[in-house]
Amino acid sequence: MAVLRRRERTSDAPPEAEHDLDAVAGHVRAAAAAALGDPPHIDDGPQAVIAGCGPHAYRLTLATDDPAWAGTLVARLSDPDVLLGEAAWIRAVGAAGFPAPDLLTGDDDHARGLLVFRQPPGKTLAEVMVTDLPSLPRYVAAFGRLHARLHDLPPAGPRAVAGSPADDLATRAPTGDVRADVADELAWLAAHRPGGEAAVVCHGELNPVHVYLGVGESGGGVPVNWTRSRLAAPEYDVAATVTAFWAVPLYVDNAVYRRMLKMARESLASSYLAAYAEGAARPVDDPVLAYWQAHHLCGLACDASRRLREGPGGPWDGGRALAQPASALREVRKRFWQLAAEAA
């Protein structure tokens, strides 16, 4: 892009909130210069990636023939602690033989709030699933086995995450009206928190949107967005995936498509769970799985409440994409208490 080639601004640290696109390009060029010798021009982008690569993500390509920096890149500008943790998890699972994206930046860049990885080839599994419906069962089965494979890695994490993942909800509804809206749900979760499960490596948000599948590939694919990775009970991670399947209709405007997705979501989740069970070292505990589904649904309720009370947030805010936030909040609450009964 000509504008980006003329304006080669490279300040010492990425901006913390609103990301000027020229500044994003400048930060990536500066990071690439350390490896290439000269700051390469931008061929395309950067463009915000709202879903599929994690928060504060931008897609771009550089004018270089260097194999490491050629092709489509994703730059994430975020809190340094988040990026340092994400990079450490990517390196750890990759070293254990699990598919992970290729990191191009080092911890000096991550400490300044910039992480760059090469986008895996192909499309997201979500895109492939909706364009190849006859192969849907095969894709879902491969995805379930991929998740089981992750949980079979040695249970060692590169960075400790303090507290239980249940405590994460405090950041979704810290105070005020949003917390009041989910007070009953939070109280139930606190009173029924399970304990004693053996911890495994958890991705945190492993769903088809965050998995890239190469052209013609029928295997599990390459997961991205390791921002919420941690050691936790496998049910915590499986529940996040099941909740993602359940929640898809909440983000669809078209009423007909929404009804179709509601009809299909249970089948997709069941197929995923069956494939996961085939490859998992141990079966999931159904009441514990129900508890963690309720946990993730409470997070969705926080997003919907915040959207209703405060309006749309930034482009990566979880509640912004909800098609009908008031209806979504009612549906989430109803499902929460159904699961609470199953977990009790």
Side-chain angles (χ1 to χ4, degrees):
M1 294 177 63
V3 171
L4 292 177
R5 291 184 180 185
R6 288 197 302 268
R7 299 178 63 187
E8 299 178 353
R9 183 172 60 204
T10 56
S11 58
D12 291 337
E16 294 180 0
E18 296 299 327
H19 303 138
D20 177 87
L21 295 183
D22 288 344
V24 173
H27 294 307
V28 176
R29 293 178 66 250
L36 304 179
D38 294 308
H41 293 305
I42 304 294
D43 258 353
D44 189 33
Q47 296 176 329
V49 186
I50 303 306
C53 292
H56 312 297
Y58 299 86
R59 186 176 288 125
L60 72 164
T61 58
L62 303 180
T64 178
D65 294 327
D66 184 278
W69 289 84
T72 303
L73 308 180
V74 175
R76 295 226 309 109
L77 284 77
S78 194
D79 178 87
D81 286 341
V82 171
L83 297 186
L84 285 165
E86 179 174 12
W89 279 106
I90 289 173
R91 288 192 292 263
V93 299
F98 191 79
D102 293 330
L103 279 178
L104 302 180
T105 43
D107 280 347
D108 286 346
D109 298 299
H110 308 150
R112 291 192 293 269
L114 172 70
L115 181 148
V116 181
F117 64 88
R118 186 183 299 103
Q119 179 177 296
K123 298 180 179 180
T124 67
L125 180 55
E127 294 174 293
V128 174
M129 287 169 65
V130 299
T131 56
D132 188 4
L133 293 179
S135 300
L136 192 57
R138 176 163 51 88
Y139 289 128
V140 173
F143 174 67
R145 290 192 294 269
L146 177 74
H147 208 167
R149 180 182 168 191
L150 173 66
H151 292 170
D152 198 38
L153 296 181
R159 289 171 62 88
V161 179
S164 164
D167 299 330
D168 294 345
L169 291 176
T171 64
R172 307 276 287 270
T175 57
D177 293 335
V178 173
R179 189 172 184 84
D181 282 345
V182 295
D184 290 344
E185 288 81 2
L186 290 173
W188 184 90
L189 290 169
H192 295 82
R193 184 179 301 183
E197 308 94 339
V200 300
V201 175
C202 292
H203 178 277
E205 290 186 282
L206 193 64
N207 60 64
V209 173
H210 294 144
V211 175
Y212 280 81
L213 202 63
V215 176
E217 183 181 351
S218 60
V222 180
V224 298
N225 186 24
W226 294 80
T227 55
R228 295 189 179 181
S229 303
R230 66 189 308 148
L231 294 176
E235 287 84 359
Y236 162 77
D237 216 25
V238 172
T241 303
V242 173
T243 302
F245 280 122
W246 182 89
V248 168
L250 304 181
Y251 301 94
V252 176
D253 286 314
N254 185 288
V256 175
Y257 289 161
R258 192 160 54 244
R259 285 195 295 271
M260 292 173 59
L261 288 167
K262 286 182 179 180
M263 293 172 61
R265 62 186 177 187
E266 293 298 333
S267 175
L268 288 173
S270 296
S271 297
Y272 153 76
L273 285 170
Y276 175 88
E278 290 178 2
R282 71 164 179 83
V284 296
D285 183 303
D286 288 335
V288 175
L289 180 63
Y291 173 91
W292 286 116
Q293 285 179 257
H295 162 87
H296 293 297
L297 284 170
C298 188
L300 283 177
C302 293
D303 293 343
S305 173
R306 189 171 58 254
R307 166 73 185 277
L308 288 168
R309 292 185 174 277
E310 303 173 8
W316 289 277
D317 180 77
R320 185 183 182 92
L322 289 169
Q324 298 174 322
S327 175
L329 183 56
R330 290 193 296 271
E331 286 188 55
V332 168
R333 280 178 165 156
K334 179 180 178 180
R335 182 59 178 157
F336 178 99
W337 291 110
Q338 289 173 343
L339 290 163
E342 294 178 18

mmCIF file of all heavy atoms in Angstrom, residues 281-297:
data_model
loop_
_atom_site.group_PDB
_atom_site.id
_atom_site.type_symbol
_atom_site.label_atom_id
_atom_site.label_comp_id
_atom_site.label_asym_id
_atom_site.label_seq_id
_atom_site.Cartn_x
_atom_site.Cartn_y
_atom_site.Cartn_z
ATOM 1 N N ALA A 281 -7.584 -39.770 27.055
ATOM 2 C CA ALA A 281 -7.000 -40.722 27.993
ATOM 3 C C ALA A 281 -8.021 -41.186 29.021
ATOM 4 O O ALA A 281 -7.931 -42.301 29.538
ATOM 5 C CB ALA A 281 -5.795 -40.094 28.691
ATOM 6 N N ARG A 282 -8.966 -40.344 29.343
ATOM 7 C CA ARG A 282 -10.030 -40.725 30.274
ATOM 8 C C ARG A 282 -11.323 -40.049 29.852
ATOM 9 O O ARG A 282 -11.298 -38.980 29.226
ATOM 10 C CB ARG A 282 -9.674 -40.315 31.720
ATOM 11 C CG ARG A 282 -9.703 -38.823 32.001
ATOM 12 C CD ARG A 282 -9.720 -38.554 33.497
ATOM 13 N NE ARG A 282 -9.733 -37.148 33.843
ATOM 14 C CZ ARG A 282 -10.819 -36.389 33.877
ATOM 15 N NH1 ARG A 282 -11.992 -36.898 33.540
ATOM 16 N NH2 ARG A 282 -10.744 -35.114 34.227
ATOM 17 N N PRO A 283 -12.470 -40.646 30.162
ATOM 18 C CA PRO A 283 -13.739 -40.013 29.793
ATOM 19 C C PRO A 283 -13.990 -38.764 30.621
ATOM 20 O O PRO A 283 -13.496 -38.637 31.742
ATOM 21 C CB PRO A 283 -14.771 -41.107 30.100
ATOM 22 C CG PRO A 283 -14.126 -41.951 31.156
ATOM 23 C CD PRO A 283 -12.654 -41.944 30.846
ATOM 24 N N VAL A 284 -14.736 -37.839 30.047
ATOM 25 C CA VAL A 284 -15.076 -36.638 30.802
ATOM 26 C C VAL A 284 -16.094 -36.993 31.878
ATOM 27 O O VAL A 284 -16.885 -37.935 31.740
ATOM 28 C CB VAL A 284 -15.652 -35.531 29.883
ATOM 29 C CG1 VAL A 284 -14.626 -35.066 28.872
ATOM 30 C CG2 VAL A 284 -16.921 -35.997 29.188
ATOM 31 N N ASP A 285 -16.033 -36.273 32.962
ATOM 32 C CA ASP A 285 -16.995 -36.404 34.053
ATOM 33 C C ASP A 285 -18.183 -35.506 33.702
ATOM 34 O O ASP A 285 -18.045 -34.285 33.637
ATOM 35 C CB ASP A 285 -16.342 -35.974 35.363
ATOM 36 C CG ASP A 285 -17.253 -36.157 36.558
ATOM 37 O OD1 ASP A 285 -18.360 -35.589 36.549
ATOM 38 O OD2 ASP A 285 -16.853 -36.839 37.512
ATOM 39 N N ASP A 286 -19.334 -36.095 33.465
ATOM 40 C CA ASP A 286 -20.477 -35.327 32.961
ATOM 41 C C ASP A 286 -20.916 -34.190 33.891
ATOM 42 O O ASP A 286 -21.165 -33.075 33.426
ATOM 43 C CB ASP A 286 -21.653 -36.253 32.666
ATOM 44 C CG ASP A 286 -21.406 -37.117 31.426
ATOM 45 O OD1 ASP A 286 -20.602 -36.687 30.561
ATOM 46 O OD2 ASP A 286 -22.002 -38.204 31.317
ATOM 47 N N PRO A 287 -21.051 -34.416 35.214
ATOM 48 C CA PRO A 287 -21.410 -33.284 36.080
ATOM 49 C C PRO A 287 -20.359 -32.176 36.072
ATOM 50 O O PRO A 287 -20.697 -30.989 36.105
ATOM 51 C CB PRO A 287 -21.551 -33.922 37.469
ATOM 52 C CG PRO A 287 -21.881 -35.343 37.194
ATOM 53 C CD PRO A 287 -21.100 -35.688 35.965
ATOM 54 N N VAL A 288 -19.073 -32.541 36.024
ATOM 55 C CA VAL A 288 -18.014 -31.530 35.965
ATOM 56 C C VAL A 288 -18.075 -30.785 34.639
ATOM 57 O O VAL A 288 -17.900 -29.562 34.579
ATOM 58 C CB VAL A 288 -16.634 -32.174 36.180
ATOM 59 C CG1 VAL A 288 -15.523 -31.143 36.007
ATOM 60 C CG2 VAL A 288 -16.551 -32.807 37.565
ATOM 61 N N LEU A 289 -18.339 -31.506 33.552
ATOM 62 C CA LEU A 289 -18.486 -30.861 32.252
ATOM 63 C C LEU A 289 -19.656 -29.881 32.280
ATOM 64 O O LEU A 289 -19.549 -28.759 31.744
ATOM 65 C CB LEU A 289 -18.716 -31.924 31.175
ATOM 66 C CG LEU A 289 -18.902 -31.399 29.754
ATOM 67 C CD1 LEU A 289 -17.650 -30.681 29.264
ATOM 68 C CD2 LEU A 289 -19.275 -32.547 28.801
ATOM 69 N N ALA A 290 -20.758 -30.273 32.898
ATOM 70 C CA ALA A 290 -21.907 -29.373 32.992
ATOM 71 C C ALA A 290 -21.548 -28.120 33.792
ATOM 72 O O ALA A 290 -21.962 -27.004 33.438
ATOM 73 C CB ALA A 290 -23.094 -30.097 33.629
ATOM 74 N N TYR A 291 -20.778 -28.299 34.886
ATOM 75 C CA TYR A 291 -20.365 -27.139 35.677
ATOM 76 C C TYR A 291 -19.572 -26.154 34.828
ATOM 77 O O TYR A 291 -19.836 -24.938 34.848
ATOM 78 C CB TYR A 291 -19.515 -27.582 36.874
ATOM 79 C CG TYR A 291 -18.920 -26.408 37.617
ATOM 80 C CD1 TYR A 291 -19.601 -25.814 38.687
ATOM 81 C CD2 TYR A 291 -17.698 -25.847 37.234
ATOM 82 C CE1 TYR A 291 -19.078 -24.717 39.341
ATOM 83 C CE2 TYR A 291 -17.169 -24.751 37.894
ATOM 84 C CZ TYR A 291 -17.865 -24.189 38.943
ATOM 85 O OH TYR A 291 -17.340 -23.080 39.582
ATOM 86 N N TRP A 292 -18.589 -26.658 34.076
ATOM 87 C CA TRP A 292 -17.742 -25.743 33.309
ATOM 88 C C TRP A 292 -18.477 -25.149 32.120
ATOM 89 O O TRP A 292 -18.186 -24.021 31.701
ATOM 90 C CB TRP A 292 -16.459 -26.445 32.887
ATOM 91 C CG TRP A 292 -15.510 -26.639 34.031
ATOM 92 C CD1 TRP A 292 -15.084 -27.812 34.576
ATOM 93 C CD2 TRP A 292 -14.880 -25.604 34.798
ATOM 94 N NE1 TRP A 292 -14.239 -27.586 35.626
ATOM 95 C CE2 TRP A 292 -14.088 -26.232 35.787
ATOM 96 C CE3 TRP A 292 -14.904 -24.211 34.750
ATOM 97 C CZ2 TRP A 292 -13.336 -25.516 36.715
ATOM 98 C CZ3 TRP A 292 -14.153 -23.493 35.671
ATOM 99 C CH2 TRP A 292 -13.384 -24.145 36.639
ATOM 100 N N GLN A 293 -19.477 -25.863 31.591
ATOM 101 C CA GLN A 293 -20.324 -25.227 30.586
ATOM 102 C C GLN A 293 -21.079 -24.055 31.202
ATOM 103 O O GLN A 293 -21.204 -22.989 30.581
ATOM 104 C CB GLN A 293 -21.317 -26.235 30.004
ATOM 105 C CG GLN A 293 -20.718 -27.239 29.037
ATOM 106 C CD GLN A 293 -21.766 -28.207 28.528
ATOM 107 O OE1 GLN A 293 -21.843 -29.359 28.955
ATOM 108 N NE2 GLN A 293 -22.594 -27.728 27.630
ATOM 109 N N ALA A 294 -21.591 -24.245 32.402
ATOM 110 C CA ALA A 294 -22.272 -23.144 33.087
ATOM 111 C C ALA A 294 -21.318 -21.983 33.319
ATOM 112 O O ALA A 294 -21.689 -20.812 33.169
ATOM 113 C CB ALA A 294 -22.854 -23.640 34.410
ATOM 114 N N HIS A 295 -20.070 -22.290 33.659
ATOM 115 C CA HIS A 295 -19.057 -21.250 33.841
ATOM 116 C C HIS A 295 -18.884 -20.426 32.570
ATOM 117 O O HIS A 295 -18.919 -19.188 32.603
ATOM 118 C CB HIS A 295 -17.731 -21.904 34.229
ATOM 119 C CG HIS A 295 -16.530 -21.038 34.026
ATOM 120 N ND1 HIS A 295 -16.075 -20.149 34.982
ATOM 121 C CD2 HIS A 295 -15.686 -20.909 32.965
ATOM 122 C CE1 HIS A 295 -15.012 -19.518 34.516
ATOM 123 N NE2 HIS A 295 -14.753 -19.967 33.310
ATOM 124 N N HIS A 296 -18.722 -21.098 31.437
ATOM 125 C CA HIS A 296 -18.510 -20.371 30.187
ATOM 126 C C HIS A 296 -19.769 -19.606 29.777
ATOM 127 O O HIS A 296 -19.678 -18.508 29.210
ATOM 128 C CB HIS A 296 -18.087 -21.335 29.088
ATOM 129 C CG HIS A 296 -16.727 -21.935 29.312
ATOM 130 N ND1 HIS A 296 -15.572 -21.176 29.344
ATOM 131 C CD2 HIS A 296 -16.339 -23.221 29.530
ATOM 132 C CE1 HIS A 296 -14.528 -21.969 29.558
ATOM 133 N NE2 HIS A 296 -14.972 -23.208 29.676
ATOM 134 N N LEU A 297 -20.933 -20.162 30.075
ATOM 135 C CA LEU A 297 -22.172 -19.446 29.781
ATOM 136 C C LEU A 297 -22.304 -18.191 30.635
ATOM 137 O O LEU A 297 -22.835 -17.170 30.177
ATOM 138 C CB LEU A 297 -23.374 -20.361 30.006
ATOM 139 C CG LEU A 297 -23.616 -21.403 28.916
ATOM 140 C CD1 LEU A 297 -24.670 -22.391 29.374
ATOM 141 C CD2 LEU A 297 -24.052 -20.734 27.620
#
